Amino acid sequence: MKRITIRDVARAAGVSLSTVSRVLHGNPTVRPDLQERVLETVQRLNYQPNRMAQRLRSNASNIIGLVISDIENPFFTSIVRGVEDVAYGQFMNVILCNTDEDPLKQRRYIDIMAEERAAGLIIAPVHEERTLDSLLELQKGGVPVVLVDRNIGADQIDAVLVDNFAGAYSATRHLIDCGRKRIAIVNGETRIETFADRYEGYARALADAGIPLDMKLVVETAPRINESQQATSRLLEADHKPDAIFAGNNLITLGVLKAAKQVNMTIPQDMALAGFDDMPWSSELCPSITSVAQPTYELGQEAARLLIRRMKDNNAFQQTTMMQTRLIVRESCGGLKSK
Amino acid sequence: MKRITIRDVARAAGVSLSTVSRVLHGNPTVRPDLQERVLETVQRLNYQPNRMAQRLRSNASNIIGLVISDIENPFFTSIVRGVEDVAYGQFMNVILCNTDEDPLKQRRYIDIMAEERAAGLIIAPVHEERTLDSLLELQKGGVPVVLVDRNIGADQIDAVLVDNFAGAYSATRHLIDCGRKRIAIVNGETRIETFADRYEGYARALADAGIPLDMKLVVETAPRINESQQATSRLLEADHKPDAIFAGNNLITLGVLKAAKQVNMTIPQDMALAGFDDMPWSSELCPSITSVAQPTYELGQEAARLLIRRMKDNNAFQQTTMMQTRLIVRESCGGLKSK
DNA sequence: CTGAAAGCGCTTACAG
DNA sequence: CTGAAAGCGCTTACAG
């Protein structure tokens, strides 16, 4: 099963390696008849260049690496679509890696992208000691990098971010406006920037309304359905129950719903619920869920645009794009309390 | 920004290239003191081998390519998790590509995987003239291939499949048992094997119950929320409405729900609904949805296992694993009609 | 046990 | 306009 090489083509077409290579790269200095003969031979032998060899020489590829942290979170898959749609418009291909919030996997995938000579890297990073350094190194090595969704403290790397603080503030404020007093937060781990920002927004909204922060109402959990359901169960079985929950993302929202059902609490009567991420099913849930919509697809698009911009001009000034969220009010918080 | 090469290491450590290479590959014939010196130098210079060059020579990688057709469909992302978990156990990395059901993109990604010298390929293929051939070619070229979810007619390629026919049959049968007479199907395009099988299961269940097939109740749509919502709207605004709908996948189910709400039809009173794919939110919807659960995670695991098996023994007999579904009955079909 | 050399499949100055 | 040759960074027989 020997592969056809450029040498085979050259021999079959009766020309030199150089000529074949030139034809393949659209070099115009080749005599038309030779060009045709080469093209015909390439077809006939079904020759496919060996990219390893190509890249060993010239170091380029048309692959964009996209590293996300949870493939099962629709937030990220929507970003993927945004990236892909812009990338395809530029004839780039997108390759995806899922780190699962695991610094080890992240490191492996960053290495792979470097070694595969990706044309660029878009990453929703897990913060970890060496992450920033390795990204900066990658960038210095000629692979443009764009951060998406999570700022790991670099004003040296282009980034596309969401105003998580403001989003969480608006949701919490809404719960307060609905007359809730004991507002809990079930949140992802605050070692992850987005969740830290959401916590801050929540805390600030409470403070601004003169509601003291009760740490018994602050729950941190892995941002997944099962884990957050269990964490919420513990919260709801404890002594002083909350009369409202702000959920840190869409998976946590589902976890909270399941936990509430389990202990027979009715939403919004017994407890209000607002959550981050608006999903296609948010409006179809029982009850429909008030949620903070993020511009996920647009995040992906913008990240790809920034990356391509930097691929074209590696000296471009660093740019951070910040996008706002939108609160979508539905049934899960009850009505507003009239003043 | 010149990269450190093996030559730099050799020079710095005062040995030959060969020796460095041997140390890096754990070749035991190297004197311990030299070995240590080399290792120390590698560390100090932060040397990372160039994979392009490595693979140009020895053709191996530890990357499994995983090609799916819709990154936004939770069915596929759950498969991804299954593949990853098994792959990591074998120290393989997984790289994902999203074809979007587009034969062109699929072709590009298959090529990329071939050119990147992936150690193996798992694919949920879009059926298209050349797909099977290119996969067979890849396999002959030494890259093991496993089909997942979709059989494109190859008993020459290992495959992990779901019994879509039986799943669709059981859901349709259930709707019949609930006393429904005018049962529609809103399905994905039957050019895709899974949807074709589901259609067959639906049709057979009707036939077995002596209910004539009414082609006005057979709707084909892109298997996405918006498209299926629109298609369902047209169905529900037409003359003789259905009294039940069988939805071809989880995204279509959401589309049907939205369409029903739009025309003020109440489920299950005005119309029953059962759908393929059980999702975390299926139980929280309004009403909770009767659905056909697929072993998604297990599909991914088994696919990875088959792939690794073949990587170890390229002469293994072809194997097809068929998995069954499970009908989960909830509120959306109303109660069973007692006989 | 170690080094010099060939070669993987390409691209690209360099001559002509 | 075209070819011969060098070289990308490795690995691996082949000598010693």
Side-chain angles (χ1 to χ4, degrees):
Chain A
M1 216 47 233
K2 219 183 139 311
R3 260 179 86 123
I4 306 290
T5 74
I6 197 173
R7 166 161 276 116
D8 300 321
V9 176
R11 193 152 22 201
V15 296
S16 74
L17 304 190
S18 326
T19 301
V20 176
S21 183
R22 287 193 190 99
V23 171
L24 258 24
H25 289 80
N27 190 320
T29 70
V30 179
R31 231 168 55 213
D33 59 318
L34 283 192
Q35 178 162 329
E36 195 167 337
R37 212 157 78 209
V38 169
L39 253 20
E40 183 270 324
T41 315
V42 164
Q43 281 286 334
R44 187 160 52 79
L45 300 184
N46 188 24
Y47 166 66
Q48 296 193 326
N50 181 326
R51 288 212 195 187
M52 296 305 131
Q54 286 184 320
R55 249 180 273 169
L56 182 55
R57 286 295 326 238
S58 57
N59 246 354
S61 86
N62 64 345
I63 295 174
I64 291 179
L66 176 50
V67 177
I68 60 176
S69 56
D70 183 5
I71 182 91
E72 290 192 283
N73 186 340
F75 169 76
F76 287 113
T77 54
S78 180
I79 288 181
V80 173
R81 287 302 303 265
V83 171
E84 282 181 342
D85 288 352
V86 170
Y88 285 126
Q90 305 285 320
F91 306 101
M92 309 286 299
N93 296 306
V94 178
I95 272 185
L96 230 87
C97 303
N98 178 34
T99 63
D100 229 3
E101 308 284 6
D102 178 344
L104 216 71
K105 288 186 188 172
Q106 171 169 285
R107 207 174 293 171
R108 266 151 65 164
Y109 282 124
I110 292 177
D111 285 350
I112 288 180
M113 285 305 154
E115 286 157 353
E116 300 293 336
R117 298 281 197 278
L121 180 69
I122 298 175
I123 181 170
V126 192
H127 197 14
E128 174 242 3
E129 222 181 319
R130 282 176 33 191
T131 305
L132 182 56
D133 281 346
S134 63
L135 292 178
L136 285 172
E137 203 170 304
L138 201 61
Q139 198 166 244
K140 275 199 300 187
V143 181
V145 177
V146 171
L147 302 176
V148 65
D149 185 46
R150 301 176 180 180
N151 190 352
I152 55 174
D155 50 3
Q156 309 159 67
I157 302 183
D158 294 329
V160 187
L161 306 174
V162 170
D163 194 340
N164 287 292
F165 178 91
Y169 188 99
S170 70
T172 310
R173 176 77 226 176
H174 177 71
L175 287 167
I176 295 168
D177 290 344
C178 290
R180 306 293 168 159
K181 303 291 183 205
R182 300 187 42 73
I183 302 173
I185 179 172
V186 180
N187 200 15
E189 297 107 327
T190 49
R191 70 182 167 93
I192 297 170
E193 287 66 26
T194 44
F195 293 120
D197 292 348
R198 288 171 199 173
Y199 172 74
E200 295 298 336
Y202 157 84
R204 173 70 69 83
L206 291 186
D208 285 356
I211 300 177
L213 189 62
D214 179 353
M215 289 313 284
K216 291 207 194 91
L217 296 180
V218 174
V219 176
E220 211 174 292
T221 168
R224 304 181 151 265
I225 295 175
N226 286 337
E227 285 84 341
S228 54
Q229 176 179 359
Q230 285 161 21
T232 307
S233 289
R234 284 192 292 276
L235 175 70
L236 297 184
E237 282 158 1
D239 261 0
H240 22 235
K241 297 186 175 54
D243 62 6
I245 290 183
F246 167 56
N249 81 359
N250 70 87
L251 301 171
I252 295 174
T253 302
L254 286 171
V256 170
L257 270 180
K258 285 171 192 276
K261 182 185 275 189
Q262 206 177 319
V263 298
N264 275 316
M265 287 181 86
T266 312
I267 297 174
Q269 290 79 359
D270 300 340
M271 184 176 76
L273 173 61
F276 233 87
D277 293 328
D278 190 51
M279 292 288 132
W281 59 86
S282 298
S283 55
E284 314 304 320
L285 290 171
C286 238
S288 61
I289 301 292
T290 293
S291 52
V292 180
Q294 300 194 66
T296 52
Y297 181 79
E298 291 80 0
L299 278 175
Q301 285 186 306
E302 176 70 3
R305 270 188 229 112
L306 285 185
L307 190 73
I308 286 163
R309 156 179 169 274
R310 188 156 294 277
M311 280 166 23
K312 288 180 179 153
D313 173 16
N314 198 29
N315 274 320
F317 286 90
Q318 190 278 345
Q319 177 176 338
T320 299
T321 305
M322 175 70 83
M323 296 192 177
Q324 290 301 318
T325 60
R326 183 155 45 214
L327 184 70
I328 299 182
V329 175
R330 298 206 183 86
E331 304 163 359
S332 65
C333 299
L336 287 183
K337 278 280 183 303
S338 48
K339 309 268 162 98
Chain B
M1 216 47 233
K2 218 182 139 311
R3 259 179 85 124
I4 307 289
T5 73
I6 196 172
R7 166 162 276 117
D8 300 320
V9 176
R11 194 151 23 199
V15 296
S16 73
L17 305 190
S18 326
T19 302
V20 177
S21 184
R22 285 192 191 101
V23 171
L24 259 23
H25 288 81
N27 191 320
T29 71
V30 180
R31 230 167 55 213
D33 59 318
L34 283 191
Q35 180 163 328
E36 196 166 336
R37 213 158 77 211
V38 169
L39 253 18
E40 184 270 325
T41 315
V42 165
Q43 282 286 333
R44 187 162 52 78
L45 300 184
N46 188 24
Y47 166 66
Q48 296 193 326
N50 180 324
R51 289 212 195 187
M52 297 304 132
Q54 287 184 319
R55 250 179 271 170
L56 181 55
R57 287 294 328 235
S58 58
N59 246 354
S61 87
N62 64 346
I63 294 175
I64 291 179
L66 175 51
V67 177
I68 61 176
S69 56
D70 183 6
I71 183 88
E72 290 192 282
N73 187 340
F75 169 76
F76 287 113
T77 54
S78 180
I79 288 180
V80 173
R81 288 300 305 264
V83 171
E84 282 181 342
D85 287 351
V86 171
Y88 285 127
Q90 305 286 321
F91 306 100
M92 309 286 300
N93 295 306
V94 178
I95 273 185
L96 230 87
C97 304
N98 178 34
T99 63
D100 229 3
E101 308 283 5
D102 178 344
L104 216 70
K105 289 187 188 172
Q106 172 168 284
R107 208 174 292 171
R108 267 151 64 163
Y109 282 124
I110 292 176
D111 284 350
I112 287 180
M113 286 304 154
E115 286 156 353
E116 300 293 336
R117 297 282 196 277
L121 180 70
I122 298 175
I123 181 170
V126 192
H127 197 12
E128 175 243 1
E129 222 181 319
R130 283 174 32 189
T131 305
L132 182 56
D133 281 346
S134 63
L135 292 178
L136 285 172
E137 204 170 302
L138 200 62
Q139 198 165 244
K140 275 199 299 185
V143 180
V145 177
V146 172
L147 303 175
V148 65
D149 185 46
R150 300 175 181 181
N151 190 352
I152 55 174
D155 49 4
Q156 309 160 67
I157 302 183
D158 293 329
V160 187
L161 306 174
V162 170
D163 194 341
N164 286 291
F165 178 92
Y169 188 99
S170 69
T172 310
R173 177 76 225 176
H174 177 70
L175 288 167
I176 295 169
D177 289 345
C178 290
R180 307 293 167 159
K181 303 291 182 204
R182 299 187 43 71
I183 303 173
I185 180 172
V186 180
N187 200 15
E189 297 108 327
T190 48
R191 70 184 167 92
I192 298 171
E193 286 66 26
T194 44
F195 293 120
D197 291 348
R198 289 171 198 173
Y199 172 74
E200 296 298 336
Y202 156 83
R204 174 70 69 82
L206 292 185
D208 284 357
I211 300 178
L213 189 63
D214 179 352
M215 290 313 285
K216 290 205 194 93
L217 297 180
V218 175
V219 175
E220 212 173 293
T221 168
R224 304 180 151 265
I225 295 175
N226 286 337
E227 285 86 341
S228 53
Q229 176 178 358
Q230 285 161 22
T232 307
S233 288
R234 283 193 293 275
L235 174 70
L236 296 183
E237 283 158 0
D239 260 1
H240 22 235
K241 297 187 175 54
D243 62 6
I245 290 184
F246 167 56
N249 80 0
N250 69 88
L251 301 171
I252 296 174
T253 301
L254 286 171
V256 170
L257 269 180
K258 285 172 190 275
K261 182 184 276 191
Q262 205 178 318
V263 299
N264 276 316
M265 287 181 86
T266 313
I267 297 174
Q269 290 78 1
D270 300 339
M271 184 176 76
L273 173 61
F276 233 87
D277 293 327
D278 190 52
M279 294 288 132
W281 58 86
S282 298
S283 55
E284 313 305 320
L285 290 171
C286 237
S288 62
I289 301 292
T290 293
S291 52
V292 181
Q294 301 194 67
T296 52
Y297 181 78
E298 292 80 0
L299 278 174
Q301 285 186 305
E302 176 71 3
R305 271 189 228 109
L306 285 185
L307 189 73
I308 286 163
R309 158 178 168 272
R310 188 156 294 278
M311 280 165 25
K312 288 180 178 152
D313 174 15
N314 198 29
N315 274 320
F317 287 89
Q318 190 278 347
Q319 178 176 338
T320 299
T321 305
M322 174 71 83
M323 296 191 177
Q324 290 300 319
T325 60
R326 183 155 44 215
L327 185 70
I328 299 182
V329 176
R330 298 205 182 86
E331 303 163 359
S332 66
C333 300
L336 286 183
K337 278 279 183 303
S338 48
K339 308 273 162 96

